[in-house]
Short mmCIF file of all heavy atoms in Angstrom, two decimals:
data_model
loop_
_atom_site.label_atom_id
_atom_site.label_comp_id
_atom_site.label_asym_id
_atom_site.label_seq_id
_atom_site.Cartn_x
_atom_site.Cartn_y
_atom_site.Cartn_z
N ILE A 1 -2.97 -14.44 15.80
CA ILE A 1 -3.08 -13.62 14.62
C ILE A 1 -4.21 -12.66 14.87
O ILE A 1 -5.37 -13.08 15.08
CB ILE A 1 -3.37 -14.46 13.36
CG1 ILE A 1 -2.40 -15.65 13.24
CG2 ILE A 1 -3.37 -13.64 12.10
CD1 ILE A 1 -0.97 -15.28 13.02
N ILE A 2 -3.92 -11.38 14.82
CA ILE A 2 -4.95 -10.36 15.14
C ILE A 2 -4.99 -9.27 14.09
O ILE A 2 -4.05 -9.12 13.28
CB ILE A 2 -4.73 -9.75 16.54
CG1 ILE A 2 -3.43 -9.00 16.59
CG2 ILE A 2 -4.80 -10.82 17.61
CD1 ILE A 2 -3.20 -8.16 17.85
N LYS A 3 -5.99 -8.40 14.15
CA LYS A 3 -6.06 -7.23 13.26
C LYS A 3 -5.02 -6.19 13.73
O LYS A 3 -4.82 -6.01 14.96
CB LYS A 3 -7.46 -6.64 13.32
CG LYS A 3 -8.50 -7.54 12.66
CD LYS A 3 -9.86 -6.90 12.66
CE LYS A 3 -10.84 -7.78 11.86
NZ LYS A 3 -12.13 -7.13 11.67
N PRO A 4 -4.37 -5.54 12.79
CA PRO A 4 -3.30 -4.61 13.14
C PRO A 4 -3.69 -3.51 14.10
O PRO A 4 -2.95 -3.14 15.02
CB PRO A 4 -2.87 -4.03 11.78
CG PRO A 4 -3.22 -5.10 10.81
CD PRO A 4 -4.47 -5.71 11.32
N PHE A 5 -4.90 -2.94 13.99
CA PHE A 5 -5.28 -1.84 14.81
C PHE A 5 -5.53 -2.26 16.29
O PHE A 5 -5.67 -1.42 17.16
CB PHE A 5 -6.45 -1.08 14.27
CG PHE A 5 -7.75 -1.87 14.26
CD1 PHE A 5 -8.62 -1.82 15.34
CD2 PHE A 5 -8.14 -2.60 13.15
CE1 PHE A 5 -9.80 -2.56 15.35
CE2 PHE A 5 -9.34 -3.31 13.11
CZ PHE A 5 -10.15 -3.29 14.22
N LYS A 6 -5.54 -3.56 16.53
CA LYS A 6 -5.75 -4.07 17.90
C LYS A 6 -4.45 -4.29 18.68
O LYS A 6 -4.47 -4.62 19.85
CB LYS A 6 -6.56 -5.34 17.89
CG LYS A 6 -8.04 -5.15 17.57
CD LYS A 6 -8.69 -4.49 18.74
CE LYS A 6 -10.17 -4.56 18.70
NZ LYS A 6 -10.75 -4.05 19.97
N LEU A 7 -3.30 -4.15 18.02
CA LEU A 7 -2.02 -4.44 18.61
C LEU A 7 -1.76 -3.74 19.93
O LEU A 7 -1.46 -4.37 20.94
CB LEU A 7 -0.90 -4.19 17.64
CG LEU A 7 0.53 -4.41 18.20
CD1 LEU A 7 0.73 -5.82 18.65
CD2 LEU A 7 1.58 -4.04 17.19
N ASP A 8 -1.89 -2.43 19.94
CA ASP A 8 -1.61 -1.66 21.15
C ASP A 8 -2.48 -2.05 22.33
O ASP A 8 -2.02 -2.20 23.48
CB ASP A 8 -1.67 -0.18 20.90
CG ASP A 8 -0.50 0.35 20.05
OD1 ASP A 8 0.56 -0.29 20.09
OD2 ASP A 8 -0.68 1.38 19.39
N GLU A 9 -3.75 -2.25 22.04
CA GLU A 9 -4.72 -2.61 23.06
C GLU A 9 -4.36 -4.00 23.65
O GLU A 9 -4.38 -4.17 24.88
CB GLU A 9 -6.11 -2.66 22.42
CG GLU A 9 -7.23 -2.65 23.37
CD GLU A 9 -8.60 -2.57 22.67
OE1 GLU A 9 -8.67 -2.06 21.54
OE2 GLU A 9 -9.54 -3.03 23.32
N VAL A 10 -4.03 -4.96 22.80
CA VAL A 10 -3.68 -6.31 23.25
C VAL A 10 -2.35 -6.26 24.03
O VAL A 10 -2.27 -6.86 25.12
CB VAL A 10 -3.58 -7.29 22.06
CG1 VAL A 10 -2.98 -8.62 22.48
CG2 VAL A 10 -4.93 -7.49 21.43
N LYS A 11 -1.39 -5.53 23.53
CA LYS A 11 -0.09 -5.38 24.21
C LYS A 11 -0.28 -4.82 25.62
O LYS A 11 0.29 -5.33 26.58
CB LYS A 11 0.85 -4.54 23.39
CG LYS A 11 2.24 -4.33 24.05
CD LYS A 11 3.07 -3.39 23.21
CE LYS A 11 2.56 -1.99 23.18
NZ LYS A 11 2.79 -1.12 24.27
N ASP A 12 -1.04 -3.79 25.74
CA ASP A 12 -1.29 -3.19 27.05
C ASP A 12 -2.01 -4.14 28.00
O ASP A 12 -1.69 -4.21 29.20
CB ASP A 12 -2.09 -1.87 26.90
CG ASP A 12 -1.32 -0.77 26.19
OD1 ASP A 12 -0.05 -0.88 26.10
OD2 ASP A 12 -1.93 0.19 25.70
N ALA A 13 -3.00 -4.85 27.48
CA ALA A 13 -3.71 -5.81 28.32
C ALA A 13 -2.85 -6.92 28.79
O ALA A 13 -2.94 -7.36 29.97
CB ALA A 13 -4.94 -6.35 27.55
N LEU A 14 -1.94 -7.41 27.93
CA LEU A 14 -1.01 -8.47 28.33
C LEU A 14 0.00 -7.94 29.35
O LEU A 14 0.35 -8.65 30.31
CB LEU A 14 -0.26 -9.02 27.11
CG LEU A 14 -1.10 -9.87 26.15
CD1 LEU A 14 -0.33 -10.11 24.85
CD2 LEU A 14 -1.50 -11.17 26.80
N ASN A 15 0.41 -6.73 29.17
CA ASN A 15 1.33 -6.09 30.13
C ASN A 15 0.69 -6.00 31.53
O ASN A 15 1.35 -6.22 32.56
CB ASN A 15 1.75 -4.73 29.65
CG ASN A 15 3.00 -4.19 30.32
OD1 ASN A 15 3.77 -4.99 30.91
ND2 ASN A 15 3.18 -2.88 30.29
N GLU A 16 -0.60 -5.70 31.58
CA GLU A 16 -1.31 -5.62 32.83
C GLU A 16 -1.37 -6.95 33.61
O GLU A 16 -1.43 -6.90 34.82
CB GLU A 16 -2.75 -5.13 32.61
CG GLU A 16 -2.86 -3.67 32.31
CD GLU A 16 -4.26 -3.22 32.00
OE1 GLU A 16 -5.24 -3.90 32.40
OE2 GLU A 16 -4.40 -2.19 31.33
N ILE A 17 -1.31 -8.07 32.90
CA ILE A 17 -1.35 -9.35 33.61
C ILE A 17 0.06 -9.93 33.83
O ILE A 17 0.23 -11.06 34.24
CB ILE A 17 -2.22 -10.42 32.90
CG1 ILE A 17 -1.70 -10.74 31.50
CG2 ILE A 17 -3.68 -9.94 32.88
CD1 ILE A 17 -2.35 -12.01 30.95
N GLY A 18 1.07 -9.11 33.53
CA GLY A 18 2.46 -9.50 33.84
C GLY A 18 3.26 -10.11 32.71
O GLY A 18 4.35 -10.63 32.96
N ILE A 19 2.74 -10.07 31.50
CA ILE A 19 3.49 -10.60 30.37
C ILE A 19 4.51 -9.53 29.94
O ILE A 19 4.12 -8.44 29.52
CB ILE A 19 2.55 -10.98 29.20
CG1 ILE A 19 1.54 -12.03 29.60
CG2 ILE A 19 3.39 -11.43 27.98
CD1 ILE A 19 2.16 -13.35 30.06
N GLU A 20 5.78 -9.89 29.98
CA GLU A 20 6.80 -8.92 29.69
C GLU A 20 7.45 -9.11 28.33
O GLU A 20 7.97 -8.18 27.76
CB GLU A 20 7.92 -8.96 30.78
CG GLU A 20 7.41 -8.56 32.15
CD GLU A 20 8.42 -8.79 33.24
OE1 GLU A 20 9.43 -9.48 32.98
OE2 GLU A 20 8.23 -8.25 34.33
N GLY A 21 7.43 -10.32 27.82
CA GLY A 21 8.08 -10.58 26.56
C GLY A 21 7.11 -11.00 25.46
O GLY A 21 6.22 -11.81 25.72
N ILE A 22 7.23 -10.36 24.30
CA ILE A 22 6.31 -10.66 23.22
C ILE A 22 7.06 -10.40 21.89
O ILE A 22 7.86 -9.44 21.82
CB ILE A 22 5.05 -9.82 23.30
CG1 ILE A 22 4.04 -10.15 22.24
CG2 ILE A 22 5.35 -8.36 23.31
CD1 ILE A 22 2.67 -9.50 22.44
N THR A 23 6.86 -11.21 20.88
CA THR A 23 7.43 -10.98 19.59
C THR A 23 6.28 -10.63 18.66
O THR A 23 5.25 -11.32 18.65
CB THR A 23 8.15 -12.25 19.07
OG1 THR A 23 9.22 -12.57 19.99
CG2 THR A 23 8.74 -11.99 17.68
N VAL A 24 6.46 -9.59 17.88
CA VAL A 24 5.39 -9.10 16.98
C VAL A 24 5.93 -9.13 15.55
O VAL A 24 7.02 -8.62 15.29
CB VAL A 24 4.95 -7.66 17.37
CG1 VAL A 24 3.93 -7.13 16.39
CG2 VAL A 24 4.46 -7.60 18.78
N SER A 25 5.15 -9.71 14.66
CA SER A 25 5.52 -9.71 13.22
C SER A 25 4.36 -9.22 12.39
O SER A 25 3.20 -9.50 12.69
CB SER A 25 5.84 -11.15 12.76
OG SER A 25 6.81 -11.73 13.55
N GLU A 26 4.67 -8.50 11.35
CA GLU A 26 3.63 -8.08 10.39
C GLU A 26 3.54 -9.21 9.36
O GLU A 26 4.54 -9.60 8.75
CB GLU A 26 4.00 -6.78 9.69
CG GLU A 26 3.97 -5.60 10.63
CD GLU A 26 4.29 -4.29 9.90
OE1 GLU A 26 4.34 -4.26 8.66
OE2 GLU A 26 4.55 -3.31 10.63
N VAL A 27 2.37 -9.79 9.24
CA VAL A 27 2.15 -10.91 8.31
C VAL A 27 0.98 -10.62 7.41
O VAL A 27 0.23 -9.67 7.64
CB VAL A 27 1.93 -12.23 9.10
CG1 VAL A 27 3.16 -12.60 9.93
CG2 VAL A 27 0.74 -12.14 10.02
N LYS A 28 0.84 -11.48 6.42
CA LYS A 28 -0.34 -11.37 5.50
C LYS A 28 -0.96 -12.76 5.38
O LYS A 28 -0.20 -13.77 5.40
CB LYS A 28 0.06 -10.87 4.13
CG LYS A 28 0.51 -9.43 4.13
CD LYS A 28 0.86 -8.99 2.76
CE LYS A 28 1.32 -7.52 2.78
NZ LYS A 28 1.49 -7.02 1.45
N GLY A 29 -2.23 -12.84 5.24
CA GLY A 29 -2.86 -14.14 5.06
C GLY A 29 -4.38 -13.97 4.90
O GLY A 29 -4.87 -12.86 4.79
N PHE A 30 -5.04 -15.13 4.85
CA PHE A 30 -6.49 -15.08 4.76
C PHE A 30 -7.03 -16.35 5.30
O PHE A 30 -6.38 -17.38 5.35
CB PHE A 30 -7.04 -14.85 3.34
CG PHE A 30 -6.72 -16.00 2.39
CD1 PHE A 30 -7.63 -17.04 2.22
CD2 PHE A 30 -5.58 -16.01 1.63
CE1 PHE A 30 -7.35 -18.08 1.37
CE2 PHE A 30 -5.31 -17.02 0.75
CZ PHE A 30 -6.19 -18.07 0.62
N GLY A 31 -8.26 -16.28 5.80
CA GLY A 31 -9.00 -17.43 6.27
C GLY A 31 -10.31 -17.47 5.54
O GLY A 31 -10.35 -17.45 4.32
N ARG A 32 -11.37 -17.49 6.29
CA ARG A 32 -12.71 -17.48 5.69
C ARG A 32 -12.98 -16.19 4.91
O ARG A 32 -13.86 -16.14 4.06
CB ARG A 32 -13.76 -17.66 6.76
CG ARG A 32 -13.77 -19.04 7.35
CD ARG A 32 -14.83 -19.25 8.31
NE ARG A 32 -14.77 -20.57 8.93
CZ ARG A 32 -15.28 -20.88 10.06
NH1 ARG A 32 -15.88 -19.95 10.78
NH2 ARG A 32 -15.14 -22.10 10.57
N GLN A 33 -12.25 -15.12 5.23
CA GLN A 33 -12.45 -13.86 4.58
C GLN A 33 -12.17 -13.92 3.10
O GLN A 33 -12.82 -13.26 2.32
CB GLN A 33 -11.44 -12.81 5.17
CG GLN A 33 -12.05 -11.91 6.18
CD GLN A 33 -10.98 -10.98 6.72
OE1 GLN A 33 -9.96 -11.40 7.25
NE2 GLN A 33 -11.21 -9.71 6.60
N LYS A 34 -11.21 -14.69 2.69
CA LYS A 34 -10.84 -14.91 1.28
C LYS A 34 -10.42 -13.58 0.58
O LYS A 34 -10.59 -13.47 -0.59
CB LYS A 34 -12.00 -15.55 0.50
CG LYS A 34 -12.38 -16.91 1.03
CD LYS A 34 -11.40 -17.97 0.60
CE LYS A 34 -11.93 -19.35 0.88
NZ LYS A 34 -11.54 -19.90 2.14
N GLY A 35 -9.95 -12.61 1.32
CA GLY A 35 -9.53 -11.38 0.67
C GLY A 35 -10.74 -10.53 0.29
O GLY A 35 -11.85 -10.77 0.68
N HIS A 36 -10.48 -9.48 -0.50
CA HIS A 36 -11.52 -8.60 -0.96
C HIS A 36 -11.09 -7.89 -2.25
O HIS A 36 -9.90 -7.96 -2.61
CB HIS A 36 -11.88 -7.58 0.13
CG HIS A 36 -10.72 -6.70 0.55
ND1 HIS A 36 -9.77 -7.12 1.46
CD2 HIS A 36 -10.35 -5.48 0.15
CE1 HIS A 36 -8.87 -6.14 1.62
NE2 HIS A 36 -9.22 -5.17 0.81
N THR A 37 -11.99 -7.22 -2.87
CA THR A 37 -11.65 -6.47 -4.11
C THR A 37 -11.53 -4.97 -3.76
O THR A 37 -12.24 -4.47 -2.90
CB THR A 37 -12.71 -6.65 -5.20
OG1 THR A 37 -13.98 -6.23 -4.71
CG2 THR A 37 -12.78 -8.09 -5.65
N GLU A 38 -10.64 -4.33 -4.45
CA GLU A 38 -10.45 -2.88 -4.29
C GLU A 38 -10.39 -2.25 -5.66
O GLU A 38 -10.15 -2.93 -6.68
CB GLU A 38 -9.15 -2.57 -3.53
CG GLU A 38 -9.19 -2.97 -2.08
CD GLU A 38 -8.00 -2.48 -1.28
OE1 GLU A 38 -7.13 -1.76 -1.86
OE2 GLU A 38 -7.95 -2.79 -0.09
N LEU A 39 -10.59 -0.95 -5.67
CA LEU A 39 -10.58 -0.17 -6.91
C LEU A 39 -9.35 0.72 -6.90
O LEU A 39 -9.13 1.45 -5.92
CB LEU A 39 -11.88 0.65 -7.03
CG LEU A 39 -12.33 1.10 -8.36
CD1 LEU A 39 -12.57 -0.11 -9.29
CD2 LEU A 39 -13.60 1.90 -8.23
N TYR A 40 -8.55 0.68 -7.95
CA TYR A 40 -7.37 1.52 -8.05
C TYR A 40 -7.30 2.10 -9.43
O TYR A 40 -7.20 1.38 -10.41
CB TYR A 40 -6.12 0.75 -7.72
CG TYR A 40 -4.84 1.58 -7.84
CD1 TYR A 40 -4.55 2.56 -6.88
CD2 TYR A 40 -3.96 1.40 -8.87
CE1 TYR A 40 -3.41 3.34 -6.95
CE2 TYR A 40 -2.79 2.18 -8.99
CZ TYR A 40 -2.57 3.12 -8.00
OH TYR A 40 -1.40 3.87 -8.11
N ARG A 41 -7.41 3.42 -9.56
CA ARG A 41 -7.38 4.10 -10.86
C ARG A 41 -8.38 3.51 -11.85
O ARG A 41 -8.06 3.25 -12.99
CB ARG A 41 -6.01 4.12 -11.44
CG ARG A 41 -5.04 4.95 -10.60
CD ARG A 41 -3.75 5.18 -11.31
NE ARG A 41 -2.90 6.05 -10.51
CZ ARG A 41 -1.68 6.41 -10.91
NH1 ARG A 41 -1.17 6.01 -12.04
NH2 ARG A 41 -0.97 7.20 -10.14
N GLY A 42 -9.55 3.23 -11.36
CA GLY A 42 -10.59 2.68 -12.20
C GLY A 42 -10.56 1.21 -12.46
O GLY A 42 -11.46 0.66 -13.08
N ALA A 43 -9.50 0.53 -12.05
CA ALA A 43 -9.37 -0.89 -12.29
C ALA A 43 -9.66 -1.65 -10.99
O ALA A 43 -9.17 -1.25 -9.93
CB ALA A 43 -7.96 -1.23 -12.79
N GLU A 44 -10.39 -2.68 -11.07
CA GLU A 44 -10.71 -3.50 -9.90
C GLU A 44 -9.70 -4.61 -9.79
O GLU A 44 -9.36 -5.25 -10.77
CB GLU A 44 -12.16 -4.09 -10.03
CG GLU A 44 -12.69 -4.66 -8.79
CD GLU A 44 -14.13 -5.09 -8.91
OE1 GLU A 44 -15.02 -4.22 -8.72
OE2 GLU A 44 -14.35 -6.26 -9.21
N TYR A 45 -9.20 -4.86 -8.57
CA TYR A 45 -8.27 -5.96 -8.42
C TYR A 45 -8.57 -6.64 -7.08
O TYR A 45 -9.15 -6.04 -6.17
CB TYR A 45 -6.82 -5.47 -8.52
CG TYR A 45 -6.37 -4.56 -7.41
CD1 TYR A 45 -5.63 -5.07 -6.33
CD2 TYR A 45 -6.67 -3.22 -7.44
CE1 TYR A 45 -5.22 -4.21 -5.30
CE2 TYR A 45 -6.25 -2.38 -6.44
CZ TYR A 45 -5.54 -2.87 -5.36
OH TYR A 45 -5.14 -2.03 -4.35
#
């Protein structure tokens, strides 16, 4: 489970060591981060 912006870098590094097959899924979750709050149209959620 990795951060989305690291996907291309990880994929390229795996390709360099000979890994040819990989399955990629977009998922959502949380660990110690416990999410975060954002502001949308003046309302915090």
Side-chain angles (χ1 to χ4, degrees):
I1 309 295
I2 64 171
K3 291 184 174 187
F5 67 88
K6 285 290 195 172
L7 176 60
D8 287 335
E9 196 176 336
V10 171
K11 179 184 64 81
D12 292 343
L14 289 169
N15 198 20
E16 285 178 21
I17 63 166
I19 300 299
E20 296 174 346
I22 184 172
T23 300
V24 177
S25 306
E26 293 181 12
V27 297
K28 292 182 180 186
F30 67 89
R32 291 184 182 156
Q33 260 178 302
K34 300 283 192 267
H36 60 277
T37 57
E38 290 188 4
L39 203 58
Y40 179 72
R41 294 190 176 182
E44 193 172 274
Y45 67 99

